[in-house]
């Protein structure tokens, strides 16, 4: 029934054409400018219309010259030096490096250390990041080959893991080398176990340094999966550019499907469509079999940023007999929901069920989310009741997302009812969900009460769970309470994670202290230059400066976003343009900047471009 799925995706084209025509009518500029209209004619890096299905790779027409793709561009203003903020809170240095022991419950682990659906329900940017990271799961680079039942026993007996966890970040290389120098040997099972545990704890930098030493001591015995894991870690810790350099150094013998798919997935995770298409085409040239995993990476990009290509990609999957996976449907459901095409979303959902693919709680939650954002509360409520089942106590896994979604519906009684199921013995992520839910409903005291329950029940937990309450304080501009909570974190020996830094930046920015918020961001970068902060940490500053019409500082934050590898997301261009709009200043050359980044204006950005054009006219 692939044809049915492709038929539901076909409306992406018609909806794009409708929006493009509206944009043309609304603008005062050159209506024939494809970039301005956001229409495109299947040039400039788009697929040609795939009627010539005999082609063995995606027929990309990369007619945009490479000279336009320079990384260094001249801005309307240049970033200046920032003053150090002499503030008691900001002078708190990072606490002594003590690793978070995490949760005792296996199902409490989140792949990227984020709060999964709970935190990202209202955060479009981090939700986007979560979706991209979810696409990496198919690589299976974090598999514990030591045997699940033995994992807990081995955790306490692995001397190497203990050495790595107890070593400060700056001396990890020396500690591992000393372990080798003492005559210890390392087999593939031990490598897999240590890597699995380090990734599970989000100790990615330590995992990367561990692999550096392993490759040096054990290079003759490495296989393709080892290289792929190393590539993935480099991309996460240092960014895509350094990952590409490492890829070029991998022996050709090991540049196979797993390594290429790892590179492709990280291109998609960075939302770099141009590089993703290049890697995809290279795989096709080399005869690497087309897989659903590879197609999903491009679908992840197109479903968010270039919907006209979705139909073409599904057509190729049909021709190549690539069966869509549950994640394929998740991407399509998300794309339909974002396009406000609720009937199309429902059609995709029915097609999935006809294919006998069980939607499960995550996909049901996704559908409910878009019902809520579309104001279809009765439909959303029906989905939530279906998620609950006949006995919510027996369906405990659904509790945390139900708490979040009922809060989004404004149903405090339902949040309270579901929380009572968890309250006696709550899991950590259920606590985080309840904290955020009560914050969303404006009941701060109840959010704090849940936090107290969490502190009493668990001796140690990840700093992300502190960030749940910190975000509540930020949303309600409770700056003093937020500062007290961070001081408590420091006193308790927790290190400040990217999620915590994000909450701190938001806390000050929402309280109107934007300069202090930026100083916090700078402090985070200085403390650990290799650490990759969240996209939303930069965006909250960019949006605040845009509101103020502060072009200089907006350009500065935009530049830092690019420097940190956050490119190819339309929202940052939209926010930067808004700074020019609010300042009533022309944005000379902005179209060219977008074109060089292979970015195509949507309807809103096209309207903004028309406004800033008008400011420059005599």
């Amino acid at each position: 029934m692939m044809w049915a799925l492709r038929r539901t995706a076909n409306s992406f084209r018609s909806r794009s054409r409708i929006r493009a025509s509206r944009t043309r009518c609304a603008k005062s500029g050159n209506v024939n400018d494809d970039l301005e209209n956001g229409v495109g004619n299947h040039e400039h890096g788009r697929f040609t219309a795939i009627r010539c299905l005999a082609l063995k790779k995606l027929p990309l027409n990369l007619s945009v010259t490479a000279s336009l793709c320079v990384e260094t561009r001249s801005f309307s203003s240049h970033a200046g030096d920032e003053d150090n903020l002499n503030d008691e809170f900001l002078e708190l240095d990072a606490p002594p490096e003590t690793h978070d022991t995490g949760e005792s419950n296996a199902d409490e682990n989140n792949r990227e250390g984020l709060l999964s659906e709970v935190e990202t329900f209202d955060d479009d940017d981090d939700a986007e990041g979560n979706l991209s990271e979810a696409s990496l799961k198919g690589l299976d680079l974090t598999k514990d080959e030591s045997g699940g039942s033995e994992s807990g026993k081995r955790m306490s007996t692995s001397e190497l893991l203990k050495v790595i966890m107890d070593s400060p970040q700056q001396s990890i290389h020396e500690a591992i080398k000393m372990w080798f120098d003492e005559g210890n040997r390392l087999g593939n099972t031990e490598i897999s176990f240590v890597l699995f545990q380090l990734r599970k704890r989000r100790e990615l930098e330590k995992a990367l340094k561990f692999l550096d030493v392993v490759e040096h001591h054990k290079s003759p015995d490495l296989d393709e999966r080892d290289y792929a894991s190393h590539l993935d870690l480099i991309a996460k810790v240092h960014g895509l550019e350094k990952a590409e350099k490492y890829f070029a150094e991998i022996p050709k013998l090991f540049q196979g499907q797993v390594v290429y798919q790892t590179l492709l997935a990280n291109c998609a995770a960075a939302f770099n469509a141009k590089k993703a298409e290049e890697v995809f085409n290279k795989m096709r040239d080399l005869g690497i079999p087309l897989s659903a995993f590879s197609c999903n990476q491009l679908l992840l990009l197109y479903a968010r940023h270039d919907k006209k290509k979705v139909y073409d990609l599904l057509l190729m999957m049909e021709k190549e007999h690539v069966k869509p996976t549950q994640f394929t449907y998740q991407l399509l459901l998300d794309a339909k929901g974002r396009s406000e095409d609720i009937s199309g979303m429902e059609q995709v959902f029915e097609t999935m069920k006809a294919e006998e693919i069980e939607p499960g709680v995550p996909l049901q939650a996704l559908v409910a989310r878009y019902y809520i954002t579309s104001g279809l509360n009765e439909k959303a409520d029906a989905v939530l009741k279906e998620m609950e089942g006949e006995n919510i106590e027996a369906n405990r896994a659904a509790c945390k997302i139900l708490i979040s979604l009922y809060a989004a519906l404004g149903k405090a009684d339902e949040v309270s009812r579901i929380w009572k199921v968890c309250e006696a013995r709550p899991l950590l992520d259920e606590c985080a969900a309840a904290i955020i839910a009560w914050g969303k409903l404006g009941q701060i005291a109840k959010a704090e009460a849940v936090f107290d329950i969490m502190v009493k029940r668990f001796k140690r937990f990840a700093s992300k769970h502190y960030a749940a309450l910190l975000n509540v304080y930020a949303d309600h501009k409770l700056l003093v309470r937020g500062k007290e909570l961070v001081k408590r974190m420091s006193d308790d020996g927790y290190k400040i994670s990217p999620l915590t830094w994000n909450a701190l930046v938001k806390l000050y920015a929402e309280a109107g202290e934007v300069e202090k918020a930026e100083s916090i961001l700078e402090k985070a970068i200085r403390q650990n230059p290799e650490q990759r902060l969240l996209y939303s940490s930069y965006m909250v500053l960019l949006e605040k400066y845009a509101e103020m019409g502060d072009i200089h500082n907006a350009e500065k934050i935009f530049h830092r976003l690019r420097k940190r590898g956050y490119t190819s997301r339309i929202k940052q261009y939209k926010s930067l343009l808004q700074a020019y709009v609010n300042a009533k200043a022309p944005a000379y050359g902005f179209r060219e900047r977008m074109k060089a980044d292979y970015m195509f204006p949507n309807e809103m950005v096209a309207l903004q471009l028309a406004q800033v054009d008008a400011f420059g006219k005599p």
Side-chain angles (χ1 to χ4, degrees):
M1 293 187 61
M2 183 73 183
W3 65 271
L5 181 59
R6 179 160 50 84
R7 184 182 61 191
T8 64
N10 193 31
S11 63
F12 284 132
R13 284 179 163 176
S14 59
R15 291 178 70 85
S16 297
R17 285 193 291 269
I18 292 170
R19 287 178 176 172
S21 63
R22 289 174 182 166
T23 304
R24 285 195 293 272
C25 294
K27 292 195 296 41
S28 59
N30 182 0
V31 297
N32 294 318
D33 187 339
D34 287 335
L35 279 178
E36 182 177 345
N37 295 336
V39 182
N41 57 357
H42 292 282
E43 301 294 335
H44 305 296
R46 298 195 185 283
F47 285 118
T48 57
I50 300 188
R51 292 186 177 87
C52 46
L53 289 176
L55 291 175
K56 291 186 178 180
K57 66 175 183 176
L58 297 181
L60 298 172
N61 184 351
L62 301 177
S63 60
V64 179
T65 60
S67 61
L68 290 175
C69 300
V70 290
E71 284 299 317
T72 305
R73 294 174 178 79
S74 57
F75 294 134
S76 300
S77 57
H78 299 282
D81 295 328
E82 297 79 27
D83 295 331
N84 291 327
L85 184 63
N86 185 18
D87 183 286
E88 179 184 359
F89 162 64
L90 289 180
E91 291 303 314
L92 288 174
D93 290 327
E97 187 163 311
T98 56
H99 65 274
D100 295 335
T101 55
E103 304 86 344
S104 58
N105 305 291
D107 56 344
E108 283 297 300
N109 298 313
N110 270 311
R111 180 172 174 76
E112 283 304 304
L114 300 175
L115 296 183
S116 191
E117 309 97 335
V118 176
E119 188 207 14
T120 61
F121 183 84
D122 286 330
D123 192 334
D124 216 33
D125 308 313
D126 289 335
E128 194 169 83
N130 264 4
L131 194 60
S132 66
E133 290 301 337
S135 74
L136 293 168
K137 289 185 177 180
L139 291 172
D140 201 24
L141 298 179
T142 60
K143 183 179 179 182
D144 179 8
E145 294 184 340
S146 61
S149 61
E150 297 297 320
S151 180
K153 296 178 183 177
R154 294 202 54 214
M155 196 180 304
S156 60
T157 60
S158 175
E159 294 181 8
L160 177 57
L161 180 62
K162 189 176 187 304
V163 166
I164 295 172
M165 294 303 300
D166 291 345
S167 299
Q169 195 72 252
Q170 61 272 19
S171 59
I172 192 74
H173 271 122
E174 291 73 14
I176 299 174
K177 286 179 181 177
M178 188 178 297
W179 188 85
F180 274 112
D181 292 342
E182 291 173 354
N184 293 298
R185 295 291 177 265
L186 194 60
N188 288 332
T189 300
E190 183 75 5
I191 292 173
S192 296
F193 173 77
V194 171
L195 275 177
F196 176 80
Q197 294 298 332
L198 290 174
R199 282 181 179 265
K200 179 180 174 181
R201 289 164 171 74
R202 303 305 306 144
E203 295 284 359
L204 298 184
E205 292 177 33
K206 287 188 174 183
L208 179 56
K209 290 179 179 179
F210 167 62
L211 271 183
D212 285 338
V213 179
V214 167
E215 283 198 13
H216 177 74
H217 281 263
K218 191 174 177 293
S219 56
D221 301 321
L222 295 176
D223 59 21
E224 184 181 354
R225 195 163 174 264
D226 294 322
Y227 285 112
S229 184
H230 201 162
L231 176 68
D232 184 55
L233 286 169
I234 290 173
K236 285 180 170 57
V237 174
H238 297 302
L240 188 57
E241 185 177 350
K242 289 190 177 181
E244 288 181 291
K245 291 180 180 178
Y246 175 78
F247 175 85
E249 297 170 359
I250 296 175
K252 293 293 184 182
L253 178 64
F254 298 108
Q255 290 185 4
Q257 183 173 21
V258 176
V259 167
Y260 266 99
Q261 287 190 153
T262 304
L263 180 59
L264 175 63
N266 279 287
C267 289
F271 293 93
N272 193 320
K274 180 176 180 289
K275 288 187 183 296
E277 289 172 337
E278 288 173 353
V279 173
F280 188 94
N281 282 341
K282 181 66 175 176
M283 292 170 67
R284 300 290 278 163
D285 287 338
L286 293 173
I288 294 175
L290 185 64
S291 65
F293 177 87
S294 296
C295 292
N296 285 343
Q297 305 314 304
L298 291 184
L299 194 58
L300 170 67
L301 291 167
Y302 299 154
R304 291 296 181 93
H305 303 297
D306 200 349
K307 295 180 176 63
K308 290 185 287 295
K309 291 184 181 179
V310 170
Y311 177 87
D312 296 333
L313 184 57
L314 291 174
L315 194 63
M316 170 175 276
M317 290 176 68
E318 181 181 11
K319 177 184 179 292
E320 300 278 345
H321 306 291
V322 177
K323 187 175 181 180
T325 64
Q326 187 182 64
F327 189 67
T328 310
Y329 285 102
Q330 181 181 352
L331 292 170
L332 292 172
L333 287 168
D334 185 62
K336 288 289 187 180
R338 285 177 177 274
S339 300
E340 301 177 5
D341 181 7
I342 299 302
S343 62
M345 180 184 73
E346 292 171 335
Q347 196 173 358
V348 171
F349 198 66
E350 290 304 317
T351 301
M352 179 182 63
K353 290 193 290 186
E355 286 285 308
E356 298 182 349
I357 295 179
E358 180 61 37
V361 169
L363 265 64
Q364 288 175 310
L366 186 65
V367 171
R369 169 187 175 179
Y370 285 117
Y371 279 147
I372 294 171
T373 56
S374 298
L376 301 172
N377 291 355
E378 290 185 6
K379 286 192 172 186
D381 198 58
V383 174
L384 298 191
K385 294 302 180 187
E386 186 178 343
M387 289 168 62
E388 279 193 47
E390 296 181 358
N391 183 357
I392 184 58
E393 293 184 3
N395 190 21
R396 182 70 177 265
C399 283
K400 70 173 184 177
I401 188 59
L402 285 170
I403 288 172
S404 176
L405 292 171
Y406 275 127
L409 282 169
K411 295 191 173 185
D413 291 344
E414 294 298 308
V415 171
S416 181
R417 177 176 66 84
I418 301 296
W419 171 242
K420 284 182 181 178
V421 176
C422 311
E423 191 172 9
R425 292 182 59 82
L427 302 177
L428 273 169
D429 278 0
E430 290 169 346
C431 291
I435 290 168
I436 294 171
W438 289 124
K440 191 191 300 283
L441 293 167
Q443 301 191 31
I444 311 302
K446 287 188 176 181
E448 292 173 327
V450 175
F451 183 82
D452 290 339
I453 290 173
M454 181 172 66
V455 171
K456 291 176 183 177
R457 174 162 166 72
F458 300 96
K459 293 181 180 179
R460 296 286 293 178
F461 45 83
S463 58
K464 70 177 182 178
H465 298 98
Y466 266 99
L469 184 58
L470 195 56
N471 273 301
V472 171
Y473 289 151
D475 288 337
H476 294 274
K477 299 179 175 57
L478 299 173
L479 183 58
V480 174
R481 292 195 203 182
K483 292 174 67 172
E484 291 172 351
L485 182 62
V486 174
K487 181 66 165 62
R488 178 176 175 178
M489 284 182 66
S490 180
D491 293 342
D492 289 345
Y494 283 91
K495 63 182 181 181
I496 302 181
S497 68
L499 192 65
T500 316
W501 286 119
N502 182 67
L504 291 173
V505 171
K506 182 180 177 183
L507 178 70
Y508 274 86
E510 293 299 337
E513 300 191 31
V514 185
E515 290 183 2
K516 287 187 179 182
E518 186 177 347
S519 296
I520 293 172
L521 188 72
E522 288 300 311
K523 183 178 178 67
I525 295 171
R526 286 196 306 271
Q527 282 191 358
N528 188 353
E530 295 183 345
Q531 178 177 251
R532 196 165 189 251
L533 300 177
L534 297 184
Y535 177 74
S536 54
S537 300
Y538 297 92
M539 283 303 300
V540 68
L541 293 174
L542 179 55
E543 289 172 352
K544 289 297 180 182
Y545 284 130
E547 287 176 15
M548 298 159 60
D550 187 340
I551 295 172
H552 170 83
N553 282 310
E555 285 279 13
K556 180 175 63 177
I557 300 300
F558 183 87
H559 177 63
R560 287 177 184 164
L561 271 167
R562 293 181 55 80
K563 188 176 179 181
R564 289 286 168 174
Y566 290 116
T567 57
S568 303
R569 301 192 190 189
I570 195 67
K571 187 171 183 179
Q572 64 203 64
Y573 294 87
K574 176 177 174 289
S575 296
L576 180 58
L577 264 177
Q578 193 60 41
Y580 285 91
V581 171
N582 290 346
K584 294 182 171 56
Y588 296 113
F590 207 93
R591 285 184 181 78
E592 288 70 22
R593 288 169 66 175
M594 292 187 69
K595 184 176 180 181
D597 289 337
Y598 291 87
M599 293 301 300
F600 300 89
N602 59 22
E603 184 176 354
M604 179 60 71
V605 173
L607 290 171
Q608 288 176 306
L609 285 169
Q611 283 183 275
V612 296
D613 274 352
F615 295 138
K617 290 180 179 179

